Each structure stands twice: as C-alpha cells, then as structure tokens.
Amino acid sequence: MGLGIAALPLTFVAHVLAVVASVLVVVWVVNFRGGLSFDSPNKSLIFNIHPVLMLIGFIVHGGEAIISYKALPLKKEVKKLIHLVFHAIATIAGIVGIYAAFKYHNESGIANLYSLHSWFGIAALFLYAHQWLYGFVVFFYPGGSPAIRRGSFPWHSLFGLFVFVLAIGTASLGFLEKLTFLENGGLDKYGSEAILVNITAIVTVLFGVFVVFSAIADAPPPPATDDYQPI
C-alpha cells in the first residue's frame, strides 16, 4: 500500500508536530493550570496528569511507533523492536493517564464514564492494548508461523491505524470537553488559554494526519548491505 510519494519527508513533519503538541500541552498544564501531581489537595493537579500522559505518552509515542518503519534507516529487526517498545510505552502511559482521570473524578465527587470522550477513551485503550498483545505474540515472541504473520500483517496494520485515529478523535473530544467546562466556569472564550487549548488540539489532529499519511506512503529503500563475495 502506497501513495506514490516518499514517506520520509512526511515523517519529518510528524516529528515536528509531535514536539510542538508536547510542548503546548505542558505549557498549558504548568503555566495555566498550576502544574500536576498525583497527590494534592488541589484535585485539578491530579487531573492535569491525564492530558499530559494521554497526549505525550499515548498519542505521540503511539504515532512515532507507527511511523518508525518509515522514518528510521535501520535494520528491520531493530525497527520492529523500536515499534514494540514505543507501543508498550504508549499503552502504559494510557493506563496511567486514564487512572489519573478516574482518581480525579473519585476524589472530587464527579461521576465516571458519563461522556462520549470517556467511552471512546476506554475503547481506544482497550483496543490498543489488545493490538499490542496480539502483535507481540504473533510478530515478536513466540511468533506465529510465516503464513499467520503474512495473513495477519495487513489487518494488524489497518486495525492499528483505526485505533490511532480513534485516539486522535478522542483527544479532540477531550480538549473540547475540558475547554467547555472551563469556559462555563468563567474562562475567557477568546483568552490566551482558550486559544492555546484549541491550537494544541489542532496540532494534535495534524500530527495524526501526517502519521497516517506516513504509514500509507512509500517506505524508503532498505539500507545497503555488504554483498561482497570473494572470487
């Protein structure tokens, strides 16, 4: 599957967008929301862990894992390991990030799982974890037969993109939901914080777009090997 264009330039754009989105979400929670903490009398600091881990840990690492095969001029075995490890980091970050949201809700007397954002979030993490586990068993250890790997690969790739797109959509809903709550609480709708949150969401969506484009674009040629044979 390819677009007829090289993936490598698209991955460069994705890397830049990943850095920008990560910086923006940290600036938001630190400069505007007071920082983050797992244990604080200010329960909002507990919540602040959620967007940081879900964006930087879950979405950025997940996206970088997806494009690792297209962005790195390394041997296939090395790229496979990077792909596996980055997805594992994303899964763990997603679990901790969702735990932080539940902890904030429980300690603040707020109901859980009442919004579309929360439903999609749980679904995305559940599917992501199962996708990682399936990939680990079939493609890494103990590894499926060649026929199983060949048959699974296109579905594994397609389903992985679906879950990633679901995560991007869920993040967009999350930014919208949080900003709506803040504005209903008196935040200036055209103030610097509201603009920052909206820009962060836009950059996150653009990152997702370039990850998907990179994934379906043409991979760079494999690194040259020393095929010298003595005569």
PDB file of all heavy atoms in Angstrom, residues 152-178:
ATOM      1  N   SER A 152      -1.746 -11.954   8.886  1.00  0.00           N
ATOM      2  CA  SER A 152      -2.111 -11.014   9.949  1.00  0.00           C
ATOM      3  C   SER A 152      -1.620  -9.606   9.680  1.00  0.00           C
ATOM      4  O   SER A 152      -2.241  -8.637  10.133  1.00  0.00           O
ATOM      5  CB  SER A 152      -1.534 -11.491  11.293  1.00  0.00           C
ATOM      6  OG  SER A 152      -2.056 -12.742  11.669  1.00  0.00           O
ATOM      7  N   PHE A 153      -0.500  -9.479   8.961  1.00  0.00           N
ATOM      8  CA  PHE A 153       0.154  -8.177   8.841  1.00  0.00           C
ATOM      9  C   PHE A 153      -0.759  -7.085   8.287  1.00  0.00           C
ATOM     10  O   PHE A 153      -0.852  -5.999   8.885  1.00  0.00           O
ATOM     11  CB  PHE A 153       1.423  -8.293   7.991  1.00  0.00           C
ATOM     12  CG  PHE A 153       2.103  -6.975   7.793  1.00  0.00           C
ATOM     13  CD1 PHE A 153       2.821  -6.385   8.821  1.00  0.00           C
ATOM     14  CD2 PHE A 153       2.009  -6.303   6.583  1.00  0.00           C
ATOM     15  CE1 PHE A 153       3.439  -5.156   8.650  1.00  0.00           C
ATOM     16  CE2 PHE A 153       2.623  -5.076   6.402  1.00  0.00           C
ATOM     17  CZ  PHE A 153       3.336  -4.499   7.439  1.00  0.00           C
ATOM     18  N   PRO A 154      -1.447  -7.289   7.152  1.00  0.00           N
ATOM     19  CA  PRO A 154      -2.276  -6.175   6.651  1.00  0.00           C
ATOM     20  C   PRO A 154      -3.397  -5.801   7.608  1.00  0.00           C
ATOM     21  O   PRO A 154      -3.718  -4.614   7.759  1.00  0.00           O
ATOM     22  CB  PRO A 154      -2.812  -6.698   5.316  1.00  0.00           C
ATOM     23  CG  PRO A 154      -2.646  -8.169   5.366  1.00  0.00           C
ATOM     24  CD  PRO A 154      -1.461  -8.438   6.228  1.00  0.00           C
ATOM     25  N   TRP A 155      -3.975  -6.788   8.283  1.00  0.00           N
ATOM     26  CA  TRP A 155      -5.054  -6.489   9.224  1.00  0.00           C
ATOM     27  C   TRP A 155      -4.506  -5.815  10.481  1.00  0.00           C
ATOM     28  O   TRP A 155      -5.144  -4.916  11.039  1.00  0.00           O
ATOM     29  CB  TRP A 155      -5.806  -7.770   9.586  1.00  0.00           C
ATOM     30  CG  TRP A 155      -6.586  -8.313   8.438  1.00  0.00           C
ATOM     31  CD1 TRP A 155      -6.286  -9.400   7.668  1.00  0.00           C
ATOM     32  CD2 TRP A 155      -7.792  -7.774   7.904  1.00  0.00           C
ATOM     33  NE1 TRP A 155      -7.225  -9.583   6.686  1.00  0.00           N
ATOM     34  CE2 TRP A 155      -8.172  -8.603   6.814  1.00  0.00           C
ATOM     35  CE3 TRP A 155      -8.601  -6.699   8.230  1.00  0.00           C
ATOM     36  CZ2 TRP A 155      -9.310  -8.352   6.059  1.00  0.00           C
ATOM     37  CZ3 TRP A 155      -9.737  -6.446   7.480  1.00  0.00           C
ATOM     38  CH2 TRP A 155     -10.085  -7.274   6.414  1.00  0.00           C
ATOM     39  N   HIS A 156      -3.351  -6.253  10.917  1.00  0.00           N
ATOM     40  CA  HIS A 156      -2.700  -5.625  12.067  1.00  0.00           C
ATOM     41  C   HIS A 156      -2.398  -4.157  11.770  1.00  0.00           C
ATOM     42  O   HIS A 156      -2.646  -3.278  12.609  1.00  0.00           O
ATOM     43  CB  HIS A 156      -1.405  -6.388  12.385  1.00  0.00           C
ATOM     44  CG  HIS A 156      -0.627  -5.814  13.525  1.00  0.00           C
ATOM     45  ND1 HIS A 156      -1.037  -5.906  14.840  1.00  0.00           N
ATOM     46  CD2 HIS A 156       0.559  -5.146  13.553  1.00  0.00           C
ATOM     47  CE1 HIS A 156      -0.156  -5.314  15.620  1.00  0.00           C
ATOM     48  NE2 HIS A 156       0.830  -4.841  14.872  1.00  0.00           N
ATOM     49  N   SER A 157      -1.897  -3.885  10.583  1.00  0.00           N
ATOM     50  CA  SER A 157      -1.570  -2.505  10.200  1.00  0.00           C
ATOM     51  C   SER A 157      -2.831  -1.659  10.081  1.00  0.00           C
ATOM     52  O   SER A 157      -2.883  -0.525  10.584  1.00  0.00           O
ATOM     53  CB  SER A 157      -0.811  -2.501   8.871  1.00  0.00           C
ATOM     54  OG  SER A 157       0.379  -3.244   8.960  1.00  0.00           O
ATOM     55  N   LEU A 158      -3.849  -2.194   9.411  1.00  0.00           N
ATOM     56  CA  LEU A 158      -5.087  -1.443   9.208  1.00  0.00           C
ATOM     57  C   LEU A 158      -5.794  -1.174  10.528  1.00  0.00           C
ATOM     58  O   LEU A 158      -6.241  -0.052  10.798  1.00  0.00           O
ATOM     59  CB  LEU A 158      -6.002  -2.213   8.255  1.00  0.00           C
ATOM     60  CG  LEU A 158      -7.322  -1.526   7.878  1.00  0.00           C
ATOM     61  CD1 LEU A 158      -7.052  -0.233   7.119  1.00  0.00           C
ATOM     62  CD2 LEU A 158      -8.189  -2.465   7.033  1.00  0.00           C
ATOM     63  N   PHE A 159      -5.877  -2.196  11.381  1.00  0.00           N
ATOM     64  CA  PHE A 159      -6.556  -2.026  12.657  1.00  0.00           C
ATOM     65  C   PHE A 159      -5.772  -1.069  13.559  1.00  0.00           C
ATOM     66  O   PHE A 159      -6.360  -0.285  14.308  1.00  0.00           O
ATOM     67  CB  PHE A 159      -6.731  -3.378  13.357  1.00  0.00           C
ATOM     68  CG  PHE A 159      -7.598  -3.329  14.573  1.00  0.00           C
ATOM     69  CD1 PHE A 159      -8.960  -3.119  14.464  1.00  0.00           C
ATOM     70  CD2 PHE A 159      -7.050  -3.484  15.838  1.00  0.00           C
ATOM     71  CE1 PHE A 159      -9.770  -3.070  15.588  1.00  0.00           C
ATOM     72  CE2 PHE A 159      -7.841  -3.437  16.973  1.00  0.00           C
ATOM     73  CZ  PHE A 159      -9.208  -3.231  16.847  1.00  0.00           C
ATOM     74  N   GLY A 160      -4.429  -1.121  13.467  1.00  0.00           N
ATOM     75  CA  GLY A 160      -3.621  -0.192  14.245  1.00  0.00           C
ATOM     76  C   GLY A 160      -3.891   1.253  13.870  1.00  0.00           C
ATOM     77  O   GLY A 160      -3.980   2.122  14.739  1.00  0.00           O
ATOM     78  N   LEU A 161      -4.023   1.520  12.559  1.00  0.00           N
ATOM     79  CA  LEU A 161      -4.348   2.884  12.123  1.00  0.00           C
ATOM     80  C   LEU A 161      -5.729   3.296  12.603  1.00  0.00           C
ATOM     81  O   LEU A 161      -5.948   4.449  12.995  1.00  0.00           O
ATOM     82  CB  LEU A 161      -4.268   2.983  10.600  1.00  0.00           C
ATOM     83  CG  LEU A 161      -2.865   3.034   9.993  1.00  0.00           C
ATOM     84  CD1 LEU A 161      -2.961   3.107   8.470  1.00  0.00           C
ATOM     85  CD2 LEU A 161      -2.073   4.218  10.530  1.00  0.00           C
ATOM     86  N   PHE A 162      -6.674   2.364  12.576  1.00  0.00           N
ATOM     87  CA  PHE A 162      -8.026   2.663  13.061  1.00  0.00           C
ATOM     88  C   PHE A 162      -7.999   3.069  14.529  1.00  0.00           C
ATOM     89  O   PHE A 162      -8.610   4.076  14.933  1.00  0.00           O
ATOM     90  CB  PHE A 162      -8.950   1.462  12.872  1.00  0.00           C
ATOM     91  CG  PHE A 162     -10.205   1.532  13.700  1.00  0.00           C
ATOM     92  CD1 PHE A 162     -11.223   2.408  13.370  1.00  0.00           C
ATOM     93  CD2 PHE A 162     -10.355   0.736  14.829  1.00  0.00           C
ATOM     94  CE1 PHE A 162     -12.382   2.491  14.142  1.00  0.00           C
ATOM     95  CE2 PHE A 162     -11.499   0.802  15.607  1.00  0.00           C
ATOM     96  CZ  PHE A 162     -12.520   1.686  15.256  1.00  0.00           C
ATOM     97  N   VAL A 163      -7.280   2.306  15.361  1.00  0.00           N
ATOM     98  CA  VAL A 163      -7.222   2.617  16.790  1.00  0.00           C
ATOM     99  C   VAL A 163      -6.525   3.952  17.013  1.00  0.00           C
ATOM    100  O   VAL A 163      -6.936   4.745  17.875  1.00  0.00           O
ATOM    101  CB  VAL A 163      -6.500   1.492  17.558  1.00  0.00           C
ATOM    102  CG1 VAL A 163      -6.343   1.857  19.026  1.00  0.00           C
ATOM    103  CG2 VAL A 163      -7.272   0.183  17.424  1.00  0.00           C
ATOM    104  N   PHE A 164      -5.476   4.236  16.232  1.00  0.00           N
ATOM    105  CA  PHE A 164      -4.777   5.510  16.367  1.00  0.00           C
ATOM    106  C   PHE A 164      -5.687   6.679  16.006  1.00  0.00           C
ATOM    107  O   PHE A 164      -5.718   7.695  16.710  1.00  0.00           O
ATOM    108  CB  PHE A 164      -3.530   5.514  15.480  1.00  0.00           C
ATOM    109  CG  PHE A 164      -2.745   6.785  15.543  1.00  0.00           C
ATOM    110  CD1 PHE A 164      -2.011   7.107  16.672  1.00  0.00           C
ATOM    111  CD2 PHE A 164      -2.745   7.672  14.473  1.00  0.00           C
ATOM    112  CE1 PHE A 164      -1.295   8.298  16.738  1.00  0.00           C
ATOM    113  CE2 PHE A 164      -2.030   8.851  14.528  1.00  0.00           C
ATOM    114  CZ  PHE A 164      -1.296   9.169  15.663  1.00  0.00           C
ATOM    115  N   VAL A 165      -6.431   6.547  14.917  1.00  0.00           N
ATOM    116  CA  VAL A 165      -7.375   7.602  14.527  1.00  0.00           C
ATOM    117  C   VAL A 165      -8.444   7.779  15.602  1.00  0.00           C
ATOM    118  O   VAL A 165      -8.855   8.901  15.921  1.00  0.00           O
ATOM    119  CB  VAL A 165      -8.007   7.281  13.156  1.00  0.00           C
ATOM    120  CG1 VAL A 165      -9.161   8.231  12.853  1.00  0.00           C
ATOM    121  CG2 VAL A 165      -6.946   7.371  12.055  1.00  0.00           C
ATOM    122  N   LEU A 166      -8.901   6.659  16.186  1.00  0.00           N
ATOM    123  CA  LEU A 166      -9.866   6.737  17.279  1.00  0.00           C
ATOM    124  C   LEU A 166      -9.276   7.510  18.461  1.00  0.00           C
ATOM    125  O   LEU A 166      -9.965   8.333  19.083  1.00  0.00           O
ATOM    126  CB  LEU A 166     -10.270   5.327  17.725  1.00  0.00           C
ATOM    127  CG  LEU A 166     -11.228   5.228  18.920  1.00  0.00           C
ATOM    128  CD1 LEU A 166     -12.564   5.896  18.608  1.00  0.00           C
ATOM    129  CD2 LEU A 166     -11.434   3.758  19.312  1.00  0.00           C
ATOM    130  N   ALA A 167      -8.005   7.287  18.757  1.00  0.00           N
ATOM    131  CA  ALA A 167      -7.354   8.004  19.857  1.00  0.00           C
ATOM    132  C   ALA A 167      -7.252   9.496  19.563  1.00  0.00           C
ATOM    133  O   ALA A 167      -7.470  10.328  20.454  1.00  0.00           O
ATOM    134  CB  ALA A 167      -5.962   7.418  20.105  1.00  0.00           C
ATOM    135  N   ILE A 168      -6.944   9.848  18.316  1.00  0.00           N
ATOM    136  CA  ILE A 168      -6.867  11.266  17.943  1.00  0.00           C
ATOM    137  C   ILE A 168      -8.240  11.924  18.095  1.00  0.00           C
ATOM    138  O   ILE A 168      -8.366  13.030  18.643  1.00  0.00           O
ATOM    139  CB  ILE A 168      -6.368  11.416  16.493  1.00  0.00           C
ATOM    140  CG1 ILE A 168      -4.911  10.959  16.365  1.00  0.00           C
ATOM    141  CG2 ILE A 168      -6.507  12.865  16.019  1.00  0.00           C
ATOM    142  CD1 ILE A 168      -3.908  11.839  17.064  1.00  0.00           C
ATOM    143  N   GLY A 169      -9.277  11.246  17.617  1.00  0.00           N
ATOM    144  CA  GLY A 169     -10.627  11.790  17.759  1.00  0.00           C
ATOM    145  C   GLY A 169     -11.030  11.931  19.214  1.00  0.00           C
ATOM    146  O   GLY A 169     -11.673  12.925  19.603  1.00  0.00           O
ATOM    147  N   THR A 170     -10.648  10.952  20.026  1.00  0.00           N
ATOM    148  CA  THR A 170     -10.966  11.008  21.453  1.00  0.00           C
ATOM    149  C   THR A 170     -10.258  12.171  22.129  1.00  0.00           C
ATOM    150  O   THR A 170     -10.839  12.868  22.980  1.00  0.00           O
ATOM    151  CB  THR A 170     -10.564   9.685  22.124  1.00  0.00           C
ATOM    152  OG1 THR A 170     -11.252   8.602  21.486  1.00  0.00           O
ATOM    153  CG2 THR A 170     -10.921   9.698  23.601  1.00  0.00           C
ATOM    154  N   ALA A 171      -9.003  12.412  21.756  1.00  0.00           N
ATOM    155  CA  ALA A 171      -8.269  13.542  22.316  1.00  0.00           C
ATOM    156  C   ALA A 171      -8.942  14.867  21.944  1.00  0.00           C
ATOM    157  O   ALA A 171      -9.044  15.776  22.776  1.00  0.00           O
ATOM    158  CB  ALA A 171      -6.824  13.531  21.824  1.00  0.00           C
ATOM    159  N   SER A 172      -9.402  14.966  20.705  1.00  0.00           N
ATOM    160  CA  SER A 172     -10.087  16.191  20.276  1.00  0.00           C
ATOM    161  C   SER A 172     -11.344  16.428  21.110  1.00  0.00           C
ATOM    162  O   SER A 172     -11.625  17.557  21.536  1.00  0.00           O
ATOM    163  CB  SER A 172     -10.448  16.103  18.793  1.00  0.00           C
ATOM    164  OG  SER A 172      -9.294  15.952  17.995  1.00  0.00           O
ATOM    165  N   LEU A 173     -12.098  15.353  21.349  1.00  0.00           N
ATOM    166  CA  LEU A 173     -13.274  15.471  22.210  1.00  0.00           C
ATOM    167  C   LEU A 173     -12.880  15.890  23.624  1.00  0.00           C
ATOM    168  O   LEU A 173     -13.585  16.673  24.276  1.00  0.00           O
ATOM    169  CB  LEU A 173     -14.022  14.139  22.259  1.00  0.00           C
ATOM    170  CG  LEU A 173     -14.818  13.738  21.024  1.00  0.00           C
ATOM    171  CD1 LEU A 173     -15.380  12.322  21.195  1.00  0.00           C
ATOM    172  CD2 LEU A 173     -15.958  14.718  20.767  1.00  0.00           C
ATOM    173  N   GLY A 174     -11.748  15.373  24.091  1.00  0.00           N
ATOM    174  CA  GLY A 174     -11.293  15.722  25.435  1.00  0.00           C
ATOM    175  C   GLY A 174     -10.919  17.189  25.563  1.00  0.00           C
ATOM    176  O   GLY A 174     -11.274  17.853  26.548  1.00  0.00           O
ATOM    177  N   PHE A 175     -10.198  17.704  24.577  1.00  0.00           N
ATOM    178  CA  PHE A 175      -9.871  19.138  24.605  1.00  0.00           C
ATOM    179  C   PHE A 175     -11.146  19.972  24.588  1.00  0.00           C
ATOM    180  O   PHE A 175     -11.262  20.967  25.326  1.00  0.00           O
ATOM    181  CB  PHE A 175      -8.998  19.495  23.397  1.00  0.00           C
ATOM    182  CG  PHE A 175      -7.564  19.086  23.536  1.00  0.00           C
ATOM    183  CD1 PHE A 175      -6.975  18.227  22.621  1.00  0.00           C
ATOM    184  CD2 PHE A 175      -6.787  19.566  24.575  1.00  0.00           C
ATOM    185  CE1 PHE A 175      -5.642  17.851  22.740  1.00  0.00           C
ATOM    186  CE2 PHE A 175      -5.452  19.205  24.710  1.00  0.00           C
ATOM    187  CZ  PHE A 175      -4.877  18.342  23.786  1.00  0.00           C
ATOM    188  N   LEU A 176     -12.083  19.590  23.739  1.00  0.00           N
ATOM    189  CA  LEU A 176     -13.347  20.329  23.645  1.00  0.00           C
ATOM    190  C   LEU A 176     -14.112  20.280  24.960  1.00  0.00           C
ATOM    191  O   LEU A 176     -14.619  21.310  25.443  1.00  0.00           O
ATOM    192  CB  LEU A 176     -14.195  19.745  22.511  1.00  0.00           C
ATOM    193  CG  LEU A 176     -15.612  20.302  22.367  1.00  0.00           C
ATOM    194  CD1 LEU A 176     -15.580  21.791  22.053  1.00  0.00           C
ATOM    195  CD2 LEU A 176     -16.383  19.537  21.294  1.00  0.00           C
ATOM    196  N   GLU A 177     -14.179  19.092  25.559  1.00  0.00           N
ATOM    197  CA  GLU A 177     -14.930  18.932  26.799  1.00  0.00           C
ATOM    198  C   GLU A 177     -14.321  19.754  27.924  1.00  0.00           C
ATOM    199  O   GLU A 177     -15.030  20.476  28.639  1.00  0.00           O
ATOM    200  CB  GLU A 177     -14.953  17.448  27.174  1.00  0.00           C
ATOM    201  CG  GLU A 177     -15.731  17.129  28.438  1.00  0.00           C
ATOM    202  CD  GLU A 177     -15.723  15.639  28.732  1.00  0.00           C
ATOM    203  OE1 GLU A 177     -16.258  14.865  27.910  1.00  0.00           O
ATOM    204  OE2 GLU A 177     -15.177  15.251  29.778  1.00  0.00           O
ATOM    205  N   LYS A 178     -13.007  19.667  28.088  1.00  0.00           N
ATOM    206  CA  LYS A 178     -12.347  20.401  29.172  1.00  0.00           C
ATOM    207  C   LYS A 178     -12.459  21.907  28.966  1.00  0.00           C
ATOM    208  O   LYS A 178     -12.746  22.655  29.926  1.00  0.00           O
ATOM    209  CB  LYS A 178     -10.870  19.993  29.257  1.00  0.00           C
ATOM    210  CG  LYS A 178     -10.105  20.651  30.391  1.00  0.00           C
ATOM    211  CD  LYS A 178     -10.688  20.276  31.753  1.00  0.00           C
ATOM    212  CE  LYS A 178      -9.867  20.858  32.897  1.00  0.00           C
ATOM    213  NZ  LYS A 178     -10.434  20.515  34.223  1.00  0.00           N
TER     214      LYS A 178
END
